[in-house]
Amino acid sequence: MLKIRDDDAEDNSLKQESQLDYVSYESELQMPDIIELITKDLSEPYSIYTYRYFLHNWPRLAYLAMVDSKCVGAVVSKLDMHKKTIRRGYIAMLAVEKDYRKRGIGSELVSLTIEQMIKEGCDEVVLETELSNKPALALYENLGFVRDKRLFRYYLNGRDAFRLKLWLN
Amino acid sequence: MSQEGMKNIANGVQSEVRFSYNDWQKWLPEDGEMIDGKIISGSEQVPIHWKDITQAFQNSCQELKPGELVHDQYFSLYEAMSAVELMDPKMDSGMIYRDCASPILSFEEAVEKNKVQVDNFSPSQLIGIVDELLACVASWLDGQPLVQTIFTCSYLHKVELIEDTYLKAYCVGILKSCDLIWSLIQSGQVFEEEDFCCPSHGCSLQTNVTNAKAFASLKEVDENCARNVKKSGRKPEEETDEQAKSKNLLYQALHTRIKFCRLFYSFFHHLLGTKMNEPFLDVVKASNNRLQSMYAMIPLIKDTCILGDQAEMNDCGNNCMMGFNPLICMKHLPSQFPKAIEIMERTKACDYIYTLIGRLLRATEVVEISNIDNIIQFFANFSCDNPDVLSRSALQHLFCETFKSCNDKKAMNEIIKKAIKIFTQPPILNNPSLKGSQRALEISEAFFERSDGPISRLLFTYCCNRSRQREKIGGLLEELSAMQEEASQCDEQLNVIMERIDSQLHHRPYLGLWGLYHTCKIMEYYLLLGFELDLYGTYEYYIVYWYVDYLYNHRLSCLYAADKHLQAHEAASLDFRKNKNKKSKKKKKVSEHTLEIQLVDAKQSMCKGYLRAIDGFVKQEKMAHQNSKYDNEKLRYEHRILPFMNVYSPQLITYEKFTEVREYTRAALATATEFYSSSAKFFNMAKTKLEEISKPNDDVTNLIKITKTNMVVMNLLASGHKKESKV
């Protein structure tokens, strides 16, 4: 359902000019930052209610990467039952500010949300990514995700997607 | 705010305030201020009083804390996700109309105000319109919504308002064909949302025109066209050669299009017609002739697309044909993010229809096949080209009408029996003494009847798109496995009966082998389809090839055993014939399974070649390991082969067993060079086996090329070439 274009890829460590902190989502006051960051990279628009659905229901699965007071990265996820038997985590949105990419911020944000999911008894984590989005595929595959399904013409622009999956159980 | 109706759900700092309907009553406006409409309740008209509540609303919002939300009890955040923000051009499809210079008229309004031409078209105008309409049909078949393709042609909104007989007949023909196409696609049930958009959003493909009338109109304009072509062939005095020639060409081009539309419509009409008295094979034969004619016409249409009027800029700034408007139906779309649609370019649409007709022609061949194994192979080959949804549905329809129609309930049973007979020659289908046993007949017939289900499902799966096929194989394997189990039980019961009849006679696992054969093939297909869909990382190749190798082994054993049964049967019937006719010469027959054995054997050697190559890469650390944070090879292995869990045979290989074998093989050779040499040997072996195949087809020739290249590369690696490079 949700589609994210994330061009993040990890390698270099952060150049330490300023302090990078990862913080949990706390209140809707952080929402404008998250929306601004994600809208920049999005292939399709989300209404404010899409953000609210995730952030209000699963605030503990959302994390922000902050450099000083600036939000440079964010991850938004959910965790609920799938087919009544599997506790399935879903990474709905991930974005890193252009100038802060290739520093492992995306990976760290995804790891934070996965760690929280694991604490909550998650069995598997899924997400969709565009077939041609090599950096996003590399990021998730480096964390252990596999391409579980090919979704033909998944996006409004007619392009294919992969359903990526990480099995935890 | 009502305290009773308010329910706070603490959720960190967020909270929700849910309201019941009674709460909303309090927000209803008071009397006075504006009367702007009427609510009709029963027969009574109640005046509506409007009141501006913006300020009151904004004041109340001040009471809410950050993150607090007011919503109806049945309208949760999940439902809210489908909401669109009005006036946001990215979300509100109605905003498209903002840029239009004048309001968009409906077809009826446009006709009334003389804004659209409905009569006195020139041939080039007609060619332009019908070609554009065909491009819309192709785009619809390619998966775009009806509203944004065919119904962008306003003429189709009310065909009775078209006065020009040519255009009217063509439009009715297309509308009726599309309605039949939709019925065909519906009946096949092999479409998914990504393949095809069902007609909806208030657009109907149905017309009041009867089939008889529609065909009569097309026939009439076809004949008129023929006359015009003939007439324009004779050069009038007042025209130059050039003028006369181009006029004649235009009439010819228009005539081809009218004939095409007539054939297109009659093809679907006849194929789906319910003429019980006409044998379906005759229907297919006639359909085939129509397809052949259409196939020959498309290149002519493509070459003359240039003669038609081209699109022009309209009031809304869109480049489109007269009578077409991409925005005319947008109001019918549900309130969702507008999807950008591009109608195929006209010549590209011709190519699309040409390929489609080629596929439909190929699909008609299925009715000639009389054995289910060959039909399964036909479906598998058909699916290889990633066919469009219409040809997949047509194939399914042709098969079902031929072998599963109510008229001939035995047909499916017969083609299953025929396949099994060719596969293992079981005595139940040959031995007259066993045929006499009522019980044996009952047992076997019950099995043949019940295999219909899983086999039909197998064929259905092949008709889905390639990605969905893989998704459906899990369920299919469960059914195939149950069929296989039943086949084995059936074999055992028949053996008991046979031994009772004659202690020298035995019933071998004839039926079980056939079941196993199909199960193996689908399991292999599941794994190999993953390569085609690009689902595997290089670090997963070992597991996949290893498992495919294991499955090839099973298929080979199955084929060898079947082959043995065939030989035994051949020997027995030869003895029988010899006794009957002592002069008959012994002639060695090539077994039914020889080619498949050679091919699977070669492919298995290729698998081993790949495995040894990977072993070499691993040894030399040329291949990236998957040692990421959350990867767990055991879990990955188990989930990758999860659909095989419920299969009775070939038995599932556990991860522990897999790693044991992997370690054993990897310890067998010491250096990467040895692995590369071993890999080259396997590729060479595969090549030799493939070259032994008499009359190799394209697949075999391609495989030979691959084995040759791989062998050379492996030999180079074994000799130490490019030692430092990584995979």
Side-chain angles (χ1 to χ4, degrees), chain B residues 437-489:
Chain B
S437 159
Q438 189 56 33
R439 181 76 191 120
L441 267 183
E442 276 169 21
I443 292 169
S444 58
E445 284 300 318
F447 169 72
F448 299 136
E449 245 165 60
R450 271 201 292 271
S451 357
D452 180 343
I455 294 296
S456 298
R457 180 147 175 190
L458 170 61
L459 295 174
F460 168 81
T461 307
Y462 274 126
C463 280
C464 297
N465 76 47
R466 304 285 271 180
S467 181
R468 297 285 184 168
Q469 282 180 17
R470 199 168 183 275
E471 196 179 280
K472 292 186 192 310
I473 284 177
L476 170 67
L477 275 173
E478 269 180 47
E479 281 196 35
L480 281 177
S481 186
M483 178 184 92
Q484 196 187 322
E485 220 171 322
E486 199 178 329
S488 303
Q489 284 164 7

Short mmCIF file of all heavy atoms in Angstrom, two decimals, chain B residues 437-489:
data_model
loop_
_atom_site.label_atom_id
_atom_site.label_comp_id
_atom_site.label_asym_id
_atom_site.label_seq_id
_atom_site.Cartn_x
_atom_site.Cartn_y
_atom_site.Cartn_z
N SER B 437 -12.49 -56.51 -14.12
CA SER B 437 -12.79 -56.39 -12.69
C SER B 437 -13.50 -55.07 -12.41
O SER B 437 -12.93 -53.99 -12.61
CB SER B 437 -11.49 -56.47 -11.89
OG SER B 437 -11.69 -55.89 -10.64
N GLN B 438 -14.73 -55.21 -11.96
CA GLN B 438 -15.54 -54.03 -11.70
C GLN B 438 -14.90 -53.13 -10.64
O GLN B 438 -14.84 -51.91 -10.77
CB GLN B 438 -16.94 -54.48 -11.26
CG GLN B 438 -17.98 -53.38 -11.17
CD GLN B 438 -18.14 -52.60 -12.48
OE1 GLN B 438 -17.99 -53.13 -13.57
NE2 GLN B 438 -18.38 -51.30 -12.36
N ARG B 439 -14.37 -53.78 -9.60
CA ARG B 439 -13.78 -53.04 -8.48
C ARG B 439 -12.56 -52.23 -8.96
O ARG B 439 -12.41 -51.05 -8.61
CB ARG B 439 -13.37 -54.05 -7.39
CG ARG B 439 -12.77 -53.44 -6.17
CD ARG B 439 -13.80 -52.79 -5.25
NE ARG B 439 -13.12 -52.00 -4.23
CZ ARG B 439 -13.28 -50.70 -4.06
NH1 ARG B 439 -14.12 -50.03 -4.80
NH2 ARG B 439 -12.64 -50.04 -3.12
N ALA B 440 -11.73 -52.92 -9.78
CA ALA B 440 -10.53 -52.24 -10.30
C ALA B 440 -10.94 -51.03 -11.13
O ALA B 440 -10.33 -49.96 -11.02
CB ALA B 440 -9.72 -53.21 -11.15
N LEU B 441 -11.97 -51.22 -11.91
CA LEU B 441 -12.45 -50.10 -12.74
C LEU B 441 -12.93 -48.94 -11.89
O LEU B 441 -12.60 -47.79 -12.15
CB LEU B 441 -13.60 -50.57 -13.63
CG LEU B 441 -13.22 -51.06 -15.03
CD1 LEU B 441 -14.47 -51.42 -15.81
CD2 LEU B 441 -12.43 -50.00 -15.78
N GLU B 442 -13.69 -49.28 -10.86
CA GLU B 442 -14.22 -48.23 -9.97
C GLU B 442 -13.09 -47.43 -9.33
O GLU B 442 -13.10 -46.21 -9.31
CB GLU B 442 -15.06 -48.86 -8.85
CG GLU B 442 -16.49 -49.14 -9.26
CD GLU B 442 -17.20 -50.00 -8.21
OE1 GLU B 442 -16.76 -50.05 -7.04
OE2 GLU B 442 -18.19 -50.62 -8.62
N ILE B 443 -12.10 -48.18 -8.82
CA ILE B 443 -10.98 -47.52 -8.13
C ILE B 443 -10.26 -46.56 -9.08
O ILE B 443 -10.02 -45.39 -8.76
CB ILE B 443 -9.98 -48.57 -7.58
CG1 ILE B 443 -10.65 -49.36 -6.45
CG2 ILE B 443 -8.69 -47.93 -7.11
CD1 ILE B 443 -9.86 -50.57 -6.01
N SER B 444 -9.92 -47.08 -10.27
CA SER B 444 -9.14 -46.24 -11.18
C SER B 444 -9.96 -45.07 -11.71
O SER B 444 -9.49 -43.95 -11.76
CB SER B 444 -8.57 -47.08 -12.32
OG SER B 444 -9.62 -47.72 -13.00
N GLU B 445 -11.22 -45.33 -12.05
CA GLU B 445 -12.06 -44.24 -12.58
C GLU B 445 -12.21 -43.12 -11.54
O GLU B 445 -12.18 -41.94 -11.89
CB GLU B 445 -13.45 -44.76 -12.99
CG GLU B 445 -13.47 -45.53 -14.30
CD GLU B 445 -13.01 -44.72 -15.50
OE1 GLU B 445 -13.39 -43.55 -15.62
OE2 GLU B 445 -12.23 -45.27 -16.32
N ALA B 446 -12.38 -43.54 -10.28
CA ALA B 446 -12.53 -42.53 -9.22
C ALA B 446 -11.27 -41.67 -9.17
O ALA B 446 -11.34 -40.44 -9.00
CB ALA B 446 -12.76 -43.21 -7.89
N PHE B 447 -10.11 -42.28 -9.34
CA PHE B 447 -8.86 -41.52 -9.31
C PHE B 447 -8.79 -40.54 -10.49
O PHE B 447 -8.47 -39.36 -10.33
CB PHE B 447 -7.64 -42.44 -9.31
CG PHE B 447 -6.36 -41.69 -9.54
CD1 PHE B 447 -5.83 -40.88 -8.54
CD2 PHE B 447 -5.69 -41.75 -10.75
CE1 PHE B 447 -4.67 -40.13 -8.75
CE2 PHE B 447 -4.54 -41.02 -10.98
CZ PHE B 447 -4.03 -40.21 -9.98
N PHE B 448 -9.11 -41.04 -11.68
CA PHE B 448 -9.04 -40.17 -12.86
C PHE B 448 -9.97 -38.97 -12.71
O PHE B 448 -9.64 -37.86 -13.06
CB PHE B 448 -9.39 -40.94 -14.15
CG PHE B 448 -8.47 -42.09 -14.43
CD1 PHE B 448 -8.96 -43.33 -14.83
CD2 PHE B 448 -7.10 -41.93 -14.29
CE1 PHE B 448 -8.11 -44.39 -15.08
CE2 PHE B 448 -6.23 -42.99 -14.54
CZ PHE B 448 -6.74 -44.23 -14.93
N GLU B 449 -11.14 -39.26 -12.15
CA GLU B 449 -12.10 -38.17 -11.97
C GLU B 449 -11.61 -37.13 -10.98
O GLU B 449 -11.72 -35.94 -11.20
CB GLU B 449 -13.43 -38.74 -11.47
CG GLU B 449 -14.54 -38.56 -12.49
CD GLU B 449 -15.72 -39.43 -12.16
OE1 GLU B 449 -16.28 -39.25 -11.07
OE2 GLU B 449 -16.06 -40.31 -13.00
N ARG B 450 -11.01 -37.65 -9.91
CA ARG B 450 -10.57 -36.71 -8.87
C ARG B 450 -9.31 -35.93 -9.27
O ARG B 450 -9.06 -34.86 -8.73
CB ARG B 450 -10.39 -37.42 -7.53
CG ARG B 450 -11.70 -37.42 -6.74
CD ARG B 450 -11.45 -37.62 -5.29
NE ARG B 450 -10.97 -38.96 -5.02
CZ ARG B 450 -11.77 -40.00 -4.77
NH1 ARG B 450 -13.06 -39.85 -4.75
NH2 ARG B 450 -11.26 -41.19 -4.53
N SER B 451 -8.53 -36.49 -10.20
CA SER B 451 -7.33 -35.73 -10.61
C SER B 451 -7.70 -34.51 -11.43
O SER B 451 -6.89 -33.61 -11.61
CB SER B 451 -6.34 -36.56 -11.41
OG SER B 451 -6.74 -37.85 -11.54
N ASP B 452 -8.92 -34.48 -11.91
CA ASP B 452 -9.40 -33.32 -12.66
C ASP B 452 -9.15 -32.01 -11.87
O ASP B 452 -8.61 -31.05 -12.42
CB ASP B 452 -10.91 -33.52 -12.94
CG ASP B 452 -11.53 -32.38 -13.71
OD1 ASP B 452 -10.92 -31.31 -13.76
OD2 ASP B 452 -12.63 -32.55 -14.26
N GLY B 453 -9.50 -32.04 -10.58
CA GLY B 453 -9.37 -30.83 -9.74
C GLY B 453 -7.95 -30.27 -9.74
O GLY B 453 -7.71 -29.15 -10.21
N PRO B 454 -6.98 -31.06 -9.21
CA PRO B 454 -5.61 -30.53 -9.16
C PRO B 454 -5.02 -30.19 -10.53
O PRO B 454 -4.33 -29.19 -10.66
CB PRO B 454 -4.79 -31.67 -8.54
CG PRO B 454 -5.76 -32.66 -8.04
CD PRO B 454 -7.11 -32.37 -8.56
N ILE B 455 -5.35 -30.99 -11.54
CA ILE B 455 -4.80 -30.72 -12.88
C ILE B 455 -5.39 -29.42 -13.45
O ILE B 455 -4.67 -28.60 -14.02
CB ILE B 455 -5.04 -31.92 -13.83
CG1 ILE B 455 -4.25 -33.14 -13.35
CG2 ILE B 455 -4.69 -31.58 -15.27
CD1 ILE B 455 -2.74 -33.00 -13.37
N SER B 456 -6.69 -29.23 -13.23
CA SER B 456 -7.30 -27.98 -13.71
C SER B 456 -6.70 -26.79 -12.98
O SER B 456 -6.49 -25.74 -13.55
CB SER B 456 -8.80 -27.99 -13.48
OG SER B 456 -9.38 -29.03 -14.20
N ARG B 457 -6.41 -26.99 -11.70
CA ARG B 457 -5.82 -25.89 -10.94
C ARG B 457 -4.40 -25.59 -11.44
O ARG B 457 -3.97 -24.45 -11.48
CB ARG B 457 -5.79 -26.27 -9.46
CG ARG B 457 -5.21 -25.19 -8.62
CD ARG B 457 -5.81 -25.10 -7.27
NE ARG B 457 -5.11 -24.10 -6.48
CZ ARG B 457 -5.29 -23.92 -5.20
NH1 ARG B 457 -6.15 -24.67 -4.56
NH2 ARG B 457 -4.64 -23.00 -4.55
N LEU B 458 -3.71 -26.65 -11.83
CA LEU B 458 -2.36 -26.49 -12.38
C LEU B 458 -2.42 -25.64 -13.65
O LEU B 458 -1.65 -24.70 -13.84
CB LEU B 458 -1.77 -27.88 -12.66
CG LEU B 458 -0.49 -28.01 -13.45
CD1 LEU B 458 0.66 -27.32 -12.75
CD2 LEU B 458 -0.12 -29.48 -13.62
N LEU B 459 -3.38 -25.95 -14.51
CA LEU B 459 -3.53 -25.20 -15.75
C LEU B 459 -3.94 -23.76 -15.47
O LEU B 459 -3.44 -22.82 -16.08
CB LEU B 459 -4.58 -25.88 -16.66
CG LEU B 459 -4.20 -27.26 -17.16
CD1 LEU B 459 -5.35 -27.89 -17.91
CD2 LEU B 459 -2.98 -27.20 -18.07
N PHE B 460 -4.82 -23.60 -14.51
CA PHE B 460 -5.26 -22.26 -14.12
C PHE B 460 -4.06 -21.42 -13.64
O PHE B 460 -3.90 -20.27 -14.01
CB PHE B 460 -6.32 -22.38 -13.02
CG PHE B 460 -6.64 -21.10 -12.33
CD1 PHE B 460 -7.52 -20.20 -12.92
CD2 PHE B 460 -6.06 -20.77 -11.11
CE1 PHE B 460 -7.80 -18.99 -12.30
CE2 PHE B 460 -6.33 -19.57 -10.49
CZ PHE B 460 -7.21 -18.67 -11.08
N THR B 461 -3.21 -22.07 -12.85
CA THR B 461 -2.03 -21.37 -12.32
C THR B 461 -1.16 -20.85 -13.47
O THR B 461 -0.69 -19.72 -13.44
CB THR B 461 -1.21 -22.31 -11.42
OG1 THR B 461 -2.09 -22.85 -10.44
CG2 THR B 461 -0.07 -21.60 -10.73
N TYR B 462 -0.96 -21.69 -14.48
CA TYR B 462 -0.14 -21.26 -15.63
C TYR B 462 -0.76 -20.08 -16.37
O TYR B 462 -0.08 -19.39 -17.12
CB TYR B 462 0.07 -22.42 -16.60
CG TYR B 462 1.24 -23.30 -16.26
CD1 TYR B 462 1.11 -24.67 -16.11
CD2 TYR B 462 2.51 -22.75 -16.10
CE1 TYR B 462 2.19 -25.48 -15.80
CE2 TYR B 462 3.60 -23.55 -15.79
CZ TYR B 462 3.43 -24.91 -15.64
OH TYR B 462 4.50 -25.71 -15.33
N CYS B 463 -2.07 -19.89 -16.20
CA CYS B 463 -2.73 -18.77 -16.90
C CYS B 463 -2.65 -17.46 -16.13
O CYS B 463 -3.04 -16.42 -16.64
CB CYS B 463 -4.19 -19.11 -17.17
SG CYS B 463 -4.37 -20.17 -18.60
N CYS B 464 -2.17 -17.51 -14.90
CA CYS B 464 -2.03 -16.27 -14.13
C CYS B 464 -0.73 -15.57 -14.55
O CYS B 464 0.09 -16.18 -15.21
CB CYS B 464 -1.98 -16.57 -12.63
SG CYS B 464 -3.49 -17.32 -12.07
N ASN B 465 -0.55 -14.33 -14.11
CA ASN B 465 0.71 -13.68 -14.47
C ASN B 465 1.86 -14.33 -13.68
O ASN B 465 1.64 -14.98 -12.67
CB ASN B 465 0.64 -12.16 -14.32
CG ASN B 465 0.70 -11.67 -12.89
OD1 ASN B 465 1.55 -12.10 -12.12
ND2 ASN B 465 -0.19 -10.76 -12.54
N ARG B 466 3.08 -14.16 -14.18
CA ARG B 466 4.22 -14.95 -13.68
C ARG B 466 4.45 -14.78 -12.17
O ARG B 466 4.82 -15.73 -11.49
CB ARG B 466 5.50 -14.59 -14.44
CG ARG B 466 5.40 -14.75 -15.93
CD ARG B 466 5.44 -16.18 -16.38
NE ARG B 466 6.78 -16.66 -16.63
CZ ARG B 466 7.03 -17.90 -17.04
NH1 ARG B 466 6.04 -18.76 -17.23
NH2 ARG B 466 8.27 -18.29 -17.25
N SER B 467 4.24 -13.58 -11.67
CA SER B 467 4.49 -13.37 -10.26
C SER B 467 3.40 -14.03 -9.41
O SER B 467 3.69 -14.66 -8.39
CB SER B 467 4.55 -11.88 -9.96
OG SER B 467 4.81 -11.68 -8.61
N ARG B 468 2.17 -13.92 -9.86
CA ARG B 468 1.07 -14.56 -9.13
C ARG B 468 1.15 -16.08 -9.20
O ARG B 468 0.71 -16.77 -8.30
CB ARG B 468 -0.28 -14.09 -9.68
CG ARG B 468 -0.52 -12.62 -9.51
CD ARG B 468 -0.86 -12.29 -8.08
NE ARG B 468 -1.19 -10.87 -7.96
CZ ARG B 468 -1.74 -10.33 -6.89
NH1 ARG B 468 -1.99 -11.06 -5.82
NH2 ARG B 468 -2.01 -9.05 -6.86
N GLN B 469 1.72 -16.60 -10.29
CA GLN B 469 1.88 -18.05 -10.41
C GLN B 469 2.67 -18.57 -9.21
O GLN B 469 2.29 -19.54 -8.56
CB GLN B 469 2.66 -18.40 -11.67
CG GLN B 469 1.85 -18.33 -12.93
CD GLN B 469 2.66 -18.68 -14.18
OE1 GLN B 469 3.73 -19.28 -14.10
NE2 GLN B 469 2.15 -18.31 -15.33
N ARG B 470 3.76 -17.86 -8.93
CA ARG B 470 4.64 -18.32 -7.85
C ARG B 470 3.89 -18.29 -6.52
O ARG B 470 4.03 -19.17 -5.69
CB ARG B 470 5.88 -17.43 -7.80
CG ARG B 470 7.02 -18.07 -7.07
CD ARG B 470 8.31 -17.32 -7.27
NE ARG B 470 9.41 -17.99 -6.62
CZ ARG B 470 9.71 -17.82 -5.35
NH1 ARG B 470 9.01 -17.00 -4.61
NH2 ARG B 470 10.74 -18.49 -4.82
N GLU B 471 3.06 -17.26 -6.37
CA GLU B 471 2.29 -17.10 -5.15
C GLU B 471 1.28 -18.24 -4.98
O GLU B 471 1.00 -18.68 -3.88
CB GLU B 471 1.55 -15.77 -5.30
CG GLU B 471 0.99 -15.19 -4.06
CD GLU B 471 0.33 -13.85 -4.41
OE1 GLU B 471 1.06 -12.87 -4.55
OE2 GLU B 471 -0.90 -13.83 -4.56
N LYS B 472 0.75 -18.72 -6.12
CA LYS B 472 -0.32 -19.73 -6.06
C LYS B 472 0.21 -21.16 -5.97
O LYS B 472 -0.55 -22.08 -5.75
CB LYS B 472 -1.23 -19.59 -7.29
CG LYS B 472 -2.02 -18.29 -7.27
CD LYS B 472 -3.01 -18.22 -8.40
CE LYS B 472 -3.61 -16.87 -8.59
NZ LYS B 472 -4.17 -16.20 -7.44
N ILE B 473 1.53 -21.33 -6.18
CA ILE B 473 2.06 -22.69 -6.23
C ILE B 473 1.96 -23.41 -4.88
O ILE B 473 1.74 -24.62 -4.84
CB ILE B 473 3.50 -22.70 -6.81
CG1 ILE B 473 3.39 -22.50 -8.33
CG2 ILE B 473 4.25 -23.98 -6.48
CD1 ILE B 473 4.69 -22.41 -9.08
N GLY B 474 2.04 -22.68 -3.77
CA GLY B 474 1.92 -23.31 -2.46
C GLY B 474 0.63 -24.12 -2.34
O GLY B 474 0.65 -25.31 -2.00
N GLY B 475 -0.48 -23.49 -2.65
CA GLY B 475 -1.79 -24.15 -2.58
C GLY B 475 -1.90 -25.27 -3.60
O GLY B 475 -2.43 -26.35 -3.30
N LEU B 476 -1.35 -25.02 -4.78
CA LEU B 476 -1.41 -26.02 -5.84
C LEU B 476 -0.65 -27.29 -5.42
O LEU B 476 -1.13 -28.40 -5.64
CB LEU B 476 -0.78 -25.43 -7.12
CG LEU B 476 -0.52 -26.39 -8.26
CD1 LEU B 476 -1.83 -26.91 -8.84
CD2 LEU B 476 0.29 -25.72 -9.36
N LEU B 477 0.51 -27.09 -4.79
CA LEU B 477 1.31 -28.26 -4.37
C LEU B 477 0.56 -29.13 -3.36
O LEU B 477 0.69 -30.35 -3.39
CB LEU B 477 2.64 -27.80 -3.80
CG LEU B 477 3.74 -27.56 -4.84
CD1 LEU B 477 4.97 -26.96 -4.19
CD2 LEU B 477 4.12 -28.85 -5.56
N GLU B 478 -0.20 -28.47 -2.50
CA GLU B 478 -0.98 -29.25 -1.54
C GLU B 478 -1.94 -30.17 -2.28
O GLU B 478 -2.08 -31.35 -1.94
CB GLU B 478 -1.78 -28.31 -0.63
CG GLU B 478 -1.02 -27.93 0.61
CD GLU B 478 -1.82 -27.00 1.50
OE1 GLU B 478 -3.00 -27.27 1.76
OE2 GLU B 478 -1.24 -25.99 1.93
N GLU B 479 -2.59 -29.62 -3.30
CA GLU B 479 -3.55 -30.43 -4.07
C GLU B 479 -2.86 -31.53 -4.85
O GLU B 479 -3.32 -32.66 -4.91
CB GLU B 479 -4.34 -29.53 -5.02
CG GLU B 479 -5.43 -28.78 -4.34
CD GLU B 479 -6.44 -28.20 -5.32
OE1 GLU B 479 -6.72 -28.82 -6.35
OE2 GLU B 479 -6.93 -27.09 -5.03
N LEU B 480 -1.72 -31.18 -5.48
CA LEU B 480 -0.99 -32.18 -6.26
C LEU B 480 -0.49 -33.31 -5.37
O LEU B 480 -0.50 -34.48 -5.74
CB LEU B 480 0.20 -31.53 -6.98
CG LEU B 480 -0.11 -30.75 -8.25
CD1 LEU B 480 1.16 -30.11 -8.79
CD2 LEU B 480 -0.72 -31.64 -9.33
N SER B 481 -0.06 -32.91 -4.16
CA SER B 481 0.46 -33.91 -3.25
C SER B 481 -0.65 -34.86 -2.81
O SER B 481 -0.44 -36.08 -2.71
CB SER B 481 1.08 -33.21 -2.05
OG SER B 481 1.70 -34.14 -1.24
N ALA B 482 -1.83 -34.30 -2.57
CA ALA B 482 -2.97 -35.14 -2.19
C ALA B 482 -3.31 -36.09 -3.33
O ALA B 482 -3.61 -37.28 -3.11
CB ALA B 482 -4.17 -34.27 -1.85
N MET B 483 -3.23 -35.57 -4.56
CA MET B 483 -3.53 -36.41 -5.72
C MET B 483 -2.52 -37.56 -5.83
O MET B 483 -2.87 -38.71 -6.10
CB MET B 483 -3.47 -35.55 -6.99
CG MET B 483 -3.70 -36.30 -8.28
SD MET B 483 -3.48 -35.25 -9.72
CE MET B 483 -1.77 -35.53 -10.10
N GLN B 484 -1.26 -37.20 -5.54
CA GLN B 484 -0.19 -38.19 -5.62
C GLN B 484 -0.38 -39.29 -4.57
O GLN B 484 -0.19 -40.47 -4.84
CB GLN B 484 1.10 -37.44 -5.37
CG GLN B 484 2.35 -38.16 -5.76
CD GLN B 484 3.53 -37.34 -5.30
OE1 GLN B 484 3.49 -36.11 -5.36
NE2 GLN B 484 4.55 -37.99 -4.81
N GLU B 485 -0.78 -38.87 -3.37
CA GLU B 485 -1.00 -39.82 -2.30
C GLU B 485 -2.14 -40.78 -2.68
O GLU B 485 -2.05 -41.99 -2.48
CB GLU B 485 -1.37 -39.05 -1.03
CG GLU B 485 -0.73 -39.64 0.19
CD GLU B 485 -0.93 -38.75 1.40
OE1 GLU B 485 -0.88 -37.51 1.25
OE2 GLU B 485 -1.14 -39.32 2.48
N GLU B 486 -3.17 -40.19 -3.25
CA GLU B 486 -4.31 -40.99 -3.68
C GLU B 486 -3.90 -41.96 -4.79
O GLU B 486 -4.33 -43.11 -4.83
CB GLU B 486 -5.41 -40.06 -4.17
CG GLU B 486 -6.74 -40.74 -4.19
CD GLU B 486 -7.86 -39.82 -4.64
OE1 GLU B 486 -7.77 -38.60 -4.38
OE2 GLU B 486 -8.79 -40.32 -5.24
N ALA B 487 -3.03 -41.48 -5.68
CA ALA B 487 -2.55 -42.33 -6.77
C ALA B 487 -1.81 -43.55 -6.20
O ALA B 487 -2.01 -44.68 -6.66
CB ALA B 487 -1.62 -41.52 -7.67
N SER B 488 -1.00 -43.31 -5.18
CA SER B 488 -0.25 -44.43 -4.59
C SER B 488 -1.19 -45.44 -3.94
O SER B 488 -1.01 -46.65 -4.07
CB SER B 488 0.74 -43.91 -3.54
OG SER B 488 1.58 -42.99 -4.14
N GLN B 489 -2.20 -44.92 -3.24
CA GLN B 489 -3.17 -45.83 -2.61
C GLN B 489 -3.90 -46.64 -3.68
O GLN B 489 -4.11 -47.85 -3.53
CB GLN B 489 -4.20 -45.04 -1.80
CG GLN B 489 -3.65 -44.52 -0.49
CD GLN B 489 -4.53 -43.44 0.10
OE1 GLN B 489 -5.61 -43.16 -0.40
NE2 GLN B 489 -4.05 -42.81 1.16
#
